[in-house]
């Protein structure tokens, strides 16, 4: 995930990724780019949810589904919805 306003990029390479709690959380309207290939929706939900100031929910029946997404210059809340996750503001 690339964050435009701060100019930094974050990645997770496996489901054993370390906590990202030390990074500042992002507002839902923050502009990002996101690329993910064949990642469990639960892992992607954990990653995006730990980065967003709003609550992000993972649909229980879809948690083990593999998702792939490539989004450029979208809001974080849009990216969350397009991956199949649910965001509460």
């Amino acid at each position: 995930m690339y964050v435009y306003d701060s100019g930094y990029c974050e990645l997770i390479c496996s489901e054993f990724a370390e906590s990202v709690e030390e990074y500042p959380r992002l507002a839902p309207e923050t502009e990002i780019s996101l690329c993910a290939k064949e990642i469990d929706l639960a892992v992607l939900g954990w990653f995006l949810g730990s980065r967003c100031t709003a609550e992000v929910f993972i649909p229980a029946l879809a948690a083990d589904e593999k998702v792939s997404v490539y989004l450029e210059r979208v809001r974080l809340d849009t990216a969350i919805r397009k991956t199949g996750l649910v965001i509460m503001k």
Side-chain angles (χ1 to χ4, degrees), residues 15 38-43 58-67:
E15 59 188 82
E38 292 297 309
I39 188 170
D40 285 345
L41 185 62
V43 174
I58 304 161
L61 295 176
D64 292 334
E65 286 183 17
K66 299 285 187 194
V67 295

Side-chain angles (χ1 to χ4, degrees), residues 40-46 48 55-67 79-88:
D40 285 345
L41 185 62
V43 174
L44 185 58
W46 163 80
L48 294 175
E55 291 187 74
V56 175
F57 297 94
I58 304 161
L61 295 176
D64 292 334
E65 286 183 17
K66 299 285 187 194
V67 295
I80 289 169
R81 286 186 187 97
K82 287 191 179 272
T83 61
L85 300 164
V86 177
I87 185 169
M88 301 297 285

Side-chain angles (χ1 to χ4, degrees), residues 2-66:
Y2 180 77
V3 181
Y4 285 92
D5 63 353
S6 61
Y8 68 87
C9 185
E10 295 180 40
L11 19 126
I12 54 172
C13 296
S14 75
E15 59 188 82
F16 304 108
E18 294 181 21
S19 171
V20 293
E21 292 177 11
E22 66 273 9
Y23 297 108
R25 296 184 74 162
L26 305 170
E29 60 274 359
T30 303
E31 188 176 47
I32 66 160
S33 285
L34 178 66
C35 178
K37 290 183 181 179
E38 292 297 309
I39 188 170
D40 285 345
L41 185 62
V43 174
L44 185 58
W46 163 80
F47 178 73
L48 294 175
S50 67
R51 301 301 296 120
C52 188
T53 57
E55 291 187 74
V56 175
F57 297 94
I58 304 161
L61 295 176
D64 292 334
E65 286 183 17
K66 299 285 187 194

